[in-house]
Structures are given as C-alpha cells and as structure tokens.
Amino acid sequence: MKVAIYPGSFDPITNGHLDIIKRSLSLFDKIIVLVSFNPNKKYKFDVETKVNMIKETLIEEGISEDKVKVDSFSGLTVEYAKKNNATCLIRGLRVVSDFEYEWSLNAANNYIDPSIEMVFLMARKETSFISSSSINEMHDNGVDVSNLVPKAVLKYLK
Ligand code: ADP
C-alpha cells in the first residue's frame, strides 16, 4: 500500500489544499494530512482546531478515514513519514516563490533521509491564488470567502 504524507500549516484548510488532497488520491492508496507546527510561525488557529476543520471537511466531501487520515506533529516530517510507512511527501506549487521555498525544503529532507521522495502537484488555475493567509486577510476585511474554503471552515472563521 502506497502511503503519502501531505504536511502543512493548514491555517485554515482551503479549497486549494482540498484540491491537492483529492488529486493525490489518484496517485496513492492513502494520504495522511499532517498539521505541522513550526514554533517560528504565528498561526491564527490552534492545532486541534485545524485538525477538526480538516476532519469535518473530509466528512463533508465523503472521503473516508481509510483513504485520508488527519494527524498533527511538531517534529521532522520525514521522521513521521518513516514511522508511518509513508514513502512520499506531497506539496503543492503555486507561484515561483513557492518553488524557491520547496527547493530548499526538498534539499533538507533529502539530506535527512534520501529514501523519502517529495512529490509536487501544480495548483489548478482556479485555486492557484488561494492561500490561508489571503483567506484570513480577506475575511478579516469583510470579503466573502465562501467560494474559496470548505463549508466546515466558514463557521470557524466567524
Ligand atoms: P506551509 O506553511 O507548510 O507552507 P501551507 O498550509 O501554507 O503550509 O501549505 C501546505 C502545502 O499546500 C504547501 O506545499 C503549499 O504550497 C500547498 N498549497 C497551499 N495552497 C495551495 C493552493 N491554493 N494550491 C495548491 N497548493 C497549495
């Protein structure tokens, strides 16, 4: 069974993240969405809330826990992958600036454990402008984001 980890901040999960999850299911038997905690970053939501938003989104989408599991972790993602028999880490790519960040992340992960491959999926044009930070900023300024995030997220934003 091919297992992949999709790690990220998911602060909160957006339709862009959801698109990557769904498309990953055509490549892997099981995805673990891993809410990672970076002590250097400031988040809007706590880890538990972010996990709950993702779980509720998956229920809304009719995606079973056998296919997509949600977990959180504050250590090295590659270590988590090894412990959970995952062979790949999935990441999404939107703009060129994503590439620069992902390039060094990939290099660091290869240094730690070259047996874990990173797999990059290009954002679809419909969702490529969506980021968690833009969602939070738009919502805080009164913009309707209901077409950009899963329904489950809307009630947490309010
Ligand atoms: P991180 O802080 O680890 O970058 P994010 O939650 O911002 O966490 O993103 C997690 C992953 O999802 C990253 O690889 C990011 O590029 C990807 N991603 C985020 N938004 C989108 C989107 N709209 N389309 C495709 N991929 C996305």
Side-chain angles (χ1 to χ4, degrees), residues 6-17 19-20 23 36 38 41 43 90-94 98 101-102 105 120-124 127-133:
Y6 180 29
S9 304
F10 304 103
D11 192 43
I13 183 171
T14 68
N15 285 352
H17 293 125
D19 181 56
I20 297 289
R23 287 163 57 200
S36 29
N38 177 346
K41 278 198 178 180
Y43 301 109
I90 298 161
R91 298 283 291 174
L93 286 178
R94 286 160 296 183
D98 275 351
Y101 177 70
E102 298 296 338
L105 193 63
F120 298 94
L121 297 184
M122 290 276 194
R124 295 274 198 239
T127 48
S128 61
F129 69 99
I130 307 174
S131 67
S132 300
S133 54

Side-chain angles (χ1 to χ4, degrees), residues 10-149:
F10 304 103
D11 192 43
I13 183 171
T14 68
N15 285 352
H17 293 125
L18 183 58
D19 181 56
I20 297 289
I21 293 171
K22 287 180 178 167
R23 287 163 57 200
S24 301
L25 280 172
S26 67
L27 300 170
F28 297 96
D29 301 307
K30 183 173 180 168
I31 312 293
I32 304 175
V33 179
L34 190 64
V35 177
S36 29
F37 181 81
N38 177 346
N40 300 317
K41 278 198 178 180
K42 246 192 128 243
Y43 301 109
K44 178 178 171 107
F45 298 101
D46 61 36
V47 172
E48 200 190 333
T49 306
K50 295 196 283 188
V51 166
N52 287 339
M53 283 191 274
I54 301 169
K55 284 186 175 166
E56 287 177 35
T57 298
L58 295 172
I59 291 170
E60 273 174 8
E61 292 291 323
I63 300 171
S64 79
E65 269 185 75
D66 309 336
K67 284 274 160 202
V68 182
K69 185 184 142 178
V70 189
D71 201 0
S72 61
F73 190 61
S74 61
L76 292 171
T77 309
V78 284
E79 302 291 351
Y80 179 95
K82 251 197 298 196
K83 277 200 200 102
N84 290 275
N85 302 316
T87 50
C88 295
L89 304 182
I90 298 161
R91 298 283 291 174
L93 286 178
R94 286 160 296 183
V95 286
V96 177
S97 54
D98 275 351
F99 178 85
E100 284 186 38
Y101 177 70
E102 298 296 338
W103 193 90
S104 50
L105 193 63
N106 180 60
N109 283 340
N110 279 342
Y111 177 78
I112 302 165
D113 186 346
S115 73
I116 306 285
E117 280 295 345
M118 289 187 77
V119 173
F120 298 94
L121 297 184
M122 290 276 194
R124 295 274 198 239
K125 65 178 186 308
E126 298 80 11
T127 48
S128 61
F129 69 99
I130 307 174
S131 67
S132 300
S133 54
S134 68
I135 293 292
N136 292 329
E137 199 181 337
M138 284 192 273
H139 180 263
D140 290 348
N141 288 286
V143 178
D144 176 13
V145 294
S146 55
N147 291 323
L148 310 178
V149 293

